Amino acid sequence: MGKTGKDSGDGNAPARLLVVGAGVAGQSLVREIQQNGFPVEPIAFLDDDPQLLNQVVCGLPVLGGSDDLEKVARETGADEVLLAIPSSGGRLVRRLVIRCKRAGLPFRLVP
């Protein structure tokens, strides 16, 4: 069961992963997860590029920007957040970490 209490009744259900960053790093990680059967299920991207909004990247919808993290996490039933924004500044990362904590979601940061 995820930290947020979302469990379909199957104790082996993969964690639902919301990926922040639909660029090269995010796409590469999603492809690797999809190809190698990691115990997580990427469900959607968030990205601040307005041209990506409502597009599909690696088979996943881009549902909003970084400011939408809490809302989109709630709407999609995300269990965890992957911050795949290696070239971003520390200010954005700190802001996203705060949003993850407010949403009650664990997060991983791609170096």
Side-chain angles (χ1 to χ4, degrees):
M1 181 180 323
K3 187 174 179 182
T4 57
K6 293 171 187 68
D7 188 4
S8 62
D10 177 2
N12 295 323
R16 295 172 56 81
L17 188 65
L18 180 59
V19 182
V20 179
V24 173
Q27 289 179 40
S28 176
L29 287 164
V30 166
R31 277 195 294 275
E32 184 158 339
I33 290 166
Q34 291 169 334
Q35 292 170 356
N36 294 307
F38 289 103
V40 293
E41 176 190 357
I43 55 172
F45 280 108
L46 293 179
D47 199 285
D48 288 335
D49 180 347
Q51 292 183 341
L52 290 176
L53 184 60
N54 299 317
Q55 299 297 314
V56 175
V57 177
C58 294
L60 304 177
V62 180
L63 298 178
S66 60
D67 289 339
D68 300 313
L69 190 147
E70 293 162 274
K71 178 181 118 211
V72 171
R74 187 173 49 253
E75 290 173 352
T76 60
D79 296 312
E80 190 171 335
V81 177
L82 176 64
L83 303 175
I85 47 174
S87 62
S88 66
R91 178 177 286 169
L92 174 60
V93 172
R94 282 190 295 277
R95 195 175 85 227
L96 288 167
V97 166
I98 289 168
R99 289 185 183 283
C100 289
K101 289 181 179 181
R102 283 184 191 156
L105 293 175
F107 62 91
R108 296 174 198 230
L109 181 61
V110 175

PDB file of all heavy atoms in Angstrom, residues 26-49:
ATOM      1  N   GLY A  26      13.261  12.391 -18.006  1.00  0.00           N
ATOM      2  CA  GLY A  26      11.994  11.764 -17.661  1.00  0.00           C
ATOM      3  C   GLY A  26      11.597  10.685 -18.655  1.00  0.00           C
ATOM      4  O   GLY A  26      11.167   9.595 -18.266  1.00  0.00           O
ATOM      5  N   GLN A  27      11.751  10.971 -19.943  1.00  0.00           N
ATOM      6  CA  GLN A  27      11.400   9.989 -20.969  1.00  0.00           C
ATOM      7  C   GLN A  27      12.284   8.753 -20.866  1.00  0.00           C
ATOM      8  O   GLN A  27      11.807   7.622 -20.980  1.00  0.00           O
ATOM      9  CB  GLN A  27      11.542  10.604 -22.354  1.00  0.00           C
ATOM     10  CG  GLN A  27      10.485  11.637 -22.667  1.00  0.00           C
ATOM     11  CD  GLN A  27      10.680  12.249 -24.038  1.00  0.00           C
ATOM     12  OE1 GLN A  27      11.025  11.551 -24.985  1.00  0.00           O
ATOM     13  NE2 GLN A  27      10.446  13.544 -24.156  1.00  0.00           N
ATOM     14  N   SER A  28      13.563   8.962 -20.642  1.00  0.00           N
ATOM     15  CA  SER A  28      14.503   7.842 -20.531  1.00  0.00           C
ATOM     16  C   SER A  28      14.145   6.943 -19.349  1.00  0.00           C
ATOM     17  O   SER A  28      14.128   5.714 -19.471  1.00  0.00           O
ATOM     18  CB  SER A  28      15.921   8.386 -20.376  1.00  0.00           C
ATOM     19  OG  SER A  28      16.835   7.341 -20.179  1.00  0.00           O
ATOM     20  N   LEU A  29      13.824   7.545 -18.227  1.00  0.00           N
ATOM     21  CA  LEU A  29      13.464   6.762 -17.049  1.00  0.00           C
ATOM     22  C   LEU A  29      12.154   6.007 -17.252  1.00  0.00           C
ATOM     23  O   LEU A  29      12.044   4.840 -16.875  1.00  0.00           O
ATOM     24  CB  LEU A  29      13.373   7.666 -15.826  1.00  0.00           C
ATOM     25  CG  LEU A  29      14.735   8.123 -15.316  1.00  0.00           C
ATOM     26  CD1 LEU A  29      14.585   9.295 -14.370  1.00  0.00           C
ATOM     27  CD2 LEU A  29      15.446   6.976 -14.639  1.00  0.00           C
ATOM     28  N   VAL A  30      11.164   6.662 -17.838  1.00  0.00           N
ATOM     29  CA  VAL A  30       9.884   5.997 -18.081  1.00  0.00           C
ATOM     30  C   VAL A  30      10.074   4.818 -19.026  1.00  0.00           C
ATOM     31  O   VAL A  30       9.551   3.726 -18.782  1.00  0.00           O
ATOM     32  CB  VAL A  30       8.832   6.992 -18.621  1.00  0.00           C
ATOM     33  CG1 VAL A  30       7.627   6.267 -19.203  1.00  0.00           C
ATOM     34  CG2 VAL A  30       8.396   7.934 -17.504  1.00  0.00           C
ATOM     35  N   ARG A  31      10.849   5.006 -20.089  1.00  0.00           N
ATOM     36  CA  ARG A  31      11.098   3.899 -21.019  1.00  0.00           C
ATOM     37  C   ARG A  31      11.791   2.738 -20.309  1.00  0.00           C
ATOM     38  O   ARG A  31      11.438   1.578 -20.514  1.00  0.00           O
ATOM     39  CB  ARG A  31      11.924   4.367 -22.216  1.00  0.00           C
ATOM     40  CG  ARG A  31      11.073   5.003 -23.293  1.00  0.00           C
ATOM     41  CD  ARG A  31      11.828   5.133 -24.600  1.00  0.00           C
ATOM     42  NE  ARG A  31      12.942   6.060 -24.534  1.00  0.00           N
ATOM     43  CZ  ARG A  31      12.841   7.375 -24.716  1.00  0.00           C
ATOM     44  NH1 ARG A  31      11.678   7.920 -24.980  1.00  0.00           N
ATOM     45  NH2 ARG A  31      13.904   8.141 -24.651  1.00  0.00           N
ATOM     46  N   GLU A  32      12.763   3.048 -19.471  1.00  0.00           N
ATOM     47  CA  GLU A  32      13.476   1.991 -18.751  1.00  0.00           C
ATOM     48  C   GLU A  32      12.526   1.246 -17.808  1.00  0.00           C
ATOM     49  O   GLU A  32      12.559   0.023 -17.718  1.00  0.00           O
ATOM     50  CB  GLU A  32      14.647   2.566 -17.965  1.00  0.00           C
ATOM     51  CG  GLU A  32      15.454   1.478 -17.303  1.00  0.00           C
ATOM     52  CD  GLU A  32      16.864   1.894 -16.979  1.00  0.00           C
ATOM     53  OE1 GLU A  32      17.379   2.846 -17.584  1.00  0.00           O
ATOM     54  OE2 GLU A  32      17.440   1.245 -16.103  1.00  0.00           O
ATOM     55  N   ILE A  33      11.671   1.971 -17.114  1.00  0.00           N
ATOM     56  CA  ILE A  33      10.689   1.344 -16.222  1.00  0.00           C
ATOM     57  C   ILE A  33       9.753   0.442 -17.024  1.00  0.00           C
ATOM     58  O   ILE A  33       9.484  -0.695 -16.642  1.00  0.00           O
ATOM     59  CB  ILE A  33       9.887   2.418 -15.453  1.00  0.00           C
ATOM     60  CG1 ILE A  33      10.789   3.107 -14.422  1.00  0.00           C
ATOM     61  CG2 ILE A  33       8.666   1.813 -14.791  1.00  0.00           C
ATOM     62  CD1 ILE A  33      10.205   4.390 -13.840  1.00  0.00           C
ATOM     63  N   GLN A  34       9.264   0.951 -18.146  1.00  0.00           N
ATOM     64  CA  GLN A  34       8.308   0.200 -18.970  1.00  0.00           C
ATOM     65  C   GLN A  34       8.951  -1.057 -19.569  1.00  0.00           C
ATOM     66  O   GLN A  34       8.314  -2.099 -19.674  1.00  0.00           O
ATOM     67  CB  GLN A  34       7.760   1.086 -20.090  1.00  0.00           C
ATOM     68  CG  GLN A  34       6.851   2.189 -19.585  1.00  0.00           C
ATOM     69  CD  GLN A  34       6.510   3.232 -20.650  1.00  0.00           C
ATOM     70  OE1 GLN A  34       7.266   3.447 -21.613  1.00  0.00           O
ATOM     71  NE2 GLN A  34       5.380   3.894 -20.480  1.00  0.00           N
ATOM     72  N   GLN A  35      10.225  -0.976 -19.930  1.00  0.00           N
ATOM     73  CA  GLN A  35      10.893  -2.094 -20.593  1.00  0.00           C
ATOM     74  C   GLN A  35      11.425  -3.142 -19.616  1.00  0.00           C
ATOM     75  O   GLN A  35      11.577  -4.297 -19.984  1.00  0.00           O
ATOM     76  CB  GLN A  35      12.047  -1.584 -21.459  1.00  0.00           C
ATOM     77  CG  GLN A  35      11.575  -0.778 -22.643  1.00  0.00           C
ATOM     78  CD  GLN A  35      12.708  -0.062 -23.363  1.00  0.00           C
ATOM     79  OE1 GLN A  35      13.860  -0.095 -22.944  1.00  0.00           O
ATOM     80  NE2 GLN A  35      12.364   0.610 -24.459  1.00  0.00           N
ATOM     81  N   ASN A  36      11.715  -2.740 -18.385  1.00  0.00           N
ATOM     82  CA  ASN A  36      12.385  -3.649 -17.460  1.00  0.00           C
ATOM     83  C   ASN A  36      11.521  -4.133 -16.305  1.00  0.00           C
ATOM     84  O   ASN A  36      12.011  -4.816 -15.419  1.00  0.00           O
ATOM     85  CB  ASN A  36      13.662  -3.004 -16.922  1.00  0.00           C
ATOM     86  CG  ASN A  36      14.685  -2.804 -18.023  1.00  0.00           C
ATOM     87  OD1 ASN A  36      15.026  -3.736 -18.728  1.00  0.00           O
ATOM     88  ND2 ASN A  36      15.142  -1.580 -18.194  1.00  0.00           N
ATOM     89  N   GLY A  37      10.250  -3.772 -16.302  1.00  0.00           N
ATOM     90  CA  GLY A  37       9.343  -4.314 -15.311  1.00  0.00           C
ATOM     91  C   GLY A  37       9.641  -3.924 -13.875  1.00  0.00           C
ATOM     92  O   GLY A  37       9.465  -4.734 -12.971  1.00  0.00           O
ATOM     93  N   PHE A  38      10.067  -2.700 -13.644  1.00  0.00           N
ATOM     94  CA  PHE A  38      10.271  -2.241 -12.282  1.00  0.00           C
ATOM     95  C   PHE A  38       8.934  -2.214 -11.544  1.00  0.00           C
ATOM     96  O   PHE A  38       7.883  -2.071 -12.179  1.00  0.00           O
ATOM     97  CB  PHE A  38      10.910  -0.845 -12.273  1.00  0.00           C
ATOM     98  CG  PHE A  38      12.345  -0.849 -12.716  1.00  0.00           C
ATOM     99  CD1 PHE A  38      12.689  -0.428 -13.985  1.00  0.00           C
ATOM    100  CD2 PHE A  38      13.349  -1.274 -11.855  1.00  0.00           C
ATOM    101  CE1 PHE A  38      14.007  -0.428 -14.403  1.00  0.00           C
ATOM    102  CE2 PHE A  38      14.672  -1.292 -12.263  1.00  0.00           C
ATOM    103  CZ  PHE A  38      15.000  -0.869 -13.534  1.00  0.00           C
ATOM    104  N   PRO A  39       8.944  -2.324 -10.217  1.00  0.00           N
ATOM    105  CA  PRO A  39       7.679  -2.407  -9.468  1.00  0.00           C
ATOM    106  C   PRO A  39       6.983  -1.060  -9.265  1.00  0.00           C
ATOM    107  O   PRO A  39       6.506  -0.752  -8.182  1.00  0.00           O
ATOM    108  CB  PRO A  39       8.117  -3.025  -8.137  1.00  0.00           C
ATOM    109  CG  PRO A  39       9.519  -2.544  -7.962  1.00  0.00           C
ATOM    110  CD  PRO A  39      10.096  -2.496  -9.353  1.00  0.00           C
ATOM    111  N   VAL A  40       6.963  -0.250 -10.298  1.00  0.00           N
ATOM    112  CA  VAL A  40       6.234   1.018 -10.286  1.00  0.00           C
ATOM    113  C   VAL A  40       5.504   1.148 -11.618  1.00  0.00           C
ATOM    114  O   VAL A  40       5.915   0.561 -12.617  1.00  0.00           O
ATOM    115  CB  VAL A  40       7.151   2.248 -10.063  1.00  0.00           C
ATOM    116  CG1 VAL A  40       7.753   2.249  -8.673  1.00  0.00           C
ATOM    117  CG2 VAL A  40       8.227   2.333 -11.116  1.00  0.00           C
ATOM    118  N   GLU A  41       4.435   1.920 -11.621  1.00  0.00           N
ATOM    119  CA  GLU A  41       3.659   2.148 -12.840  1.00  0.00           C
ATOM    120  C   GLU A  41       3.620   3.639 -13.132  1.00  0.00           C
ATOM    121  O   GLU A  41       2.902   4.381 -12.463  1.00  0.00           O
ATOM    122  CB  GLU A  41       2.232   1.629 -12.647  1.00  0.00           C
ATOM    123  CG  GLU A  41       1.339   1.908 -13.832  1.00  0.00           C
ATOM    124  CD  GLU A  41      -0.124   1.606 -13.541  1.00  0.00           C
ATOM    125  OE1 GLU A  41      -0.451   1.135 -12.446  1.00  0.00           O
ATOM    126  OE2 GLU A  41      -0.932   1.861 -14.440  1.00  0.00           O
ATOM    127  N   PRO A  42       4.414   4.114 -14.094  1.00  0.00           N
ATOM    128  CA  PRO A  42       4.315   5.524 -14.467  1.00  0.00           C
ATOM    129  C   PRO A  42       2.909   5.811 -14.988  1.00  0.00           C
ATOM    130  O   PRO A  42       2.391   5.061 -15.823  1.00  0.00           O
ATOM    131  CB  PRO A  42       5.359   5.686 -15.573  1.00  0.00           C
ATOM    132  CG  PRO A  42       6.252   4.500 -15.452  1.00  0.00           C
ATOM    133  CD  PRO A  42       5.404   3.400 -14.889  1.00  0.00           C
ATOM    134  N   ILE A  43       2.288   6.871 -14.465  1.00  0.00           N
ATOM    135  CA  ILE A  43       0.898   7.149 -14.848  1.00  0.00           C
ATOM    136  C   ILE A  43       0.733   8.463 -15.607  1.00  0.00           C
ATOM    137  O   ILE A  43      -0.220   8.613 -16.363  1.00  0.00           O
ATOM    138  CB  ILE A  43      -0.031   7.136 -13.622  1.00  0.00           C
ATOM    139  CG1 ILE A  43       0.464   8.102 -12.553  1.00  0.00           C
ATOM    140  CG2 ILE A  43      -0.173   5.725 -13.079  1.00  0.00           C
ATOM    141  CD1 ILE A  43      -0.501   8.304 -11.396  1.00  0.00           C
ATOM    142  N   ALA A  44       1.630   9.436 -15.381  1.00  0.00           N
ATOM    143  CA  ALA A  44       1.482  10.727 -16.050  1.00  0.00           C
ATOM    144  C   ALA A  44       2.749  11.547 -15.845  1.00  0.00           C
ATOM    145  O   ALA A  44       3.550  11.275 -14.945  1.00  0.00           O
ATOM    146  CB  ALA A  44       0.284  11.491 -15.498  1.00  0.00           C
ATOM    147  N   PHE A  45       2.884  12.561 -16.693  1.00  0.00           N
ATOM    148  CA  PHE A  45       3.959  13.545 -16.562  1.00  0.00           C
ATOM    149  C   PHE A  45       3.388  14.885 -16.115  1.00  0.00           C
ATOM    150  O   PHE A  45       2.232  15.214 -16.408  1.00  0.00           O
ATOM    151  CB  PHE A  45       4.625  13.803 -17.924  1.00  0.00           C
ATOM    152  CG  PHE A  45       5.617  12.780 -18.366  1.00  0.00           C
ATOM    153  CD1 PHE A  45       5.303  11.907 -19.401  1.00  0.00           C
ATOM    154  CD2 PHE A  45       6.880  12.704 -17.800  1.00  0.00           C
ATOM    155  CE1 PHE A  45       6.219  10.977 -19.855  1.00  0.00           C
ATOM    156  CE2 PHE A  45       7.813  11.783 -18.245  1.00  0.00           C
ATOM    157  CZ  PHE A  45       7.478  10.906 -19.275  1.00  0.00           C
ATOM    158  N   LEU A  46       4.243  15.669 -15.473  1.00  0.00           N
ATOM    159  CA  LEU A  46       4.038  17.104 -15.292  1.00  0.00           C
ATOM    160  C   LEU A  46       5.239  17.774 -15.936  1.00  0.00           C
ATOM    161  O   LEU A  46       6.361  17.284 -15.814  1.00  0.00           O
ATOM    162  CB  LEU A  46       3.990  17.479 -13.805  1.00  0.00           C
ATOM    163  CG  LEU A  46       2.817  16.966 -12.990  1.00  0.00           C
ATOM    164  CD1 LEU A  46       2.958  17.414 -11.547  1.00  0.00           C
ATOM    165  CD2 LEU A  46       1.499  17.441 -13.566  1.00  0.00           C
ATOM    166  N   ASP A  47       5.017  18.875 -16.632  1.00  0.00           N
ATOM    167  CA  ASP A  47       6.124  19.600 -17.247  1.00  0.00           C
ATOM    168  C   ASP A  47       5.724  21.054 -17.420  1.00  0.00           C
ATOM    169  O   ASP A  47       4.560  21.336 -17.739  1.00  0.00           O
ATOM    170  CB  ASP A  47       6.494  18.993 -18.605  1.00  0.00           C
ATOM    171  CG  ASP A  47       7.875  19.400 -19.056  1.00  0.00           C
ATOM    172  OD1 ASP A  47       8.055  20.560 -19.498  1.00  0.00           O
ATOM    173  OD2 ASP A  47       8.803  18.567 -18.953  1.00  0.00           O
ATOM    174  N   ASP A  48       6.664  21.962 -17.196  1.00  0.00           N
ATOM    175  CA  ASP A  48       6.370  23.391 -17.291  1.00  0.00           C
ATOM    176  C   ASP A  48       6.417  23.942 -18.712  1.00  0.00           C
ATOM    177  O   ASP A  48       6.164  25.123 -18.918  1.00  0.00           O
ATOM    178  CB  ASP A  48       7.309  24.180 -16.372  1.00  0.00           C
ATOM    179  CG  ASP A  48       6.979  23.983 -14.905  1.00  0.00           C
ATOM    180  OD1 ASP A  48       5.809  23.663 -14.591  1.00  0.00           O
ATOM    181  OD2 ASP A  48       7.880  24.145 -14.068  1.00  0.00           O
ATOM    182  N   ASP A  49       6.721  23.103 -19.689  1.00  0.00           N
ATOM    183  CA  ASP A  49       6.710  23.542 -21.088  1.00  0.00           C
ATOM    184  C   ASP A  49       5.252  23.559 -21.571  1.00  0.00           C
ATOM    185  O   ASP A  49       4.629  22.503 -21.701  1.00  0.00           O
ATOM    186  CB  ASP A  49       7.534  22.585 -21.940  1.00  0.00           C
ATOM    187  CG  ASP A  49       7.577  22.981 -23.413  1.00  0.00           C
ATOM    188  OD1 ASP A  49       6.775  23.855 -23.845  1.00  0.00           O
ATOM    189  OD2 ASP A  49       8.408  22.417 -24.145  1.00  0.00           O
TER     190      ASP A  49
END
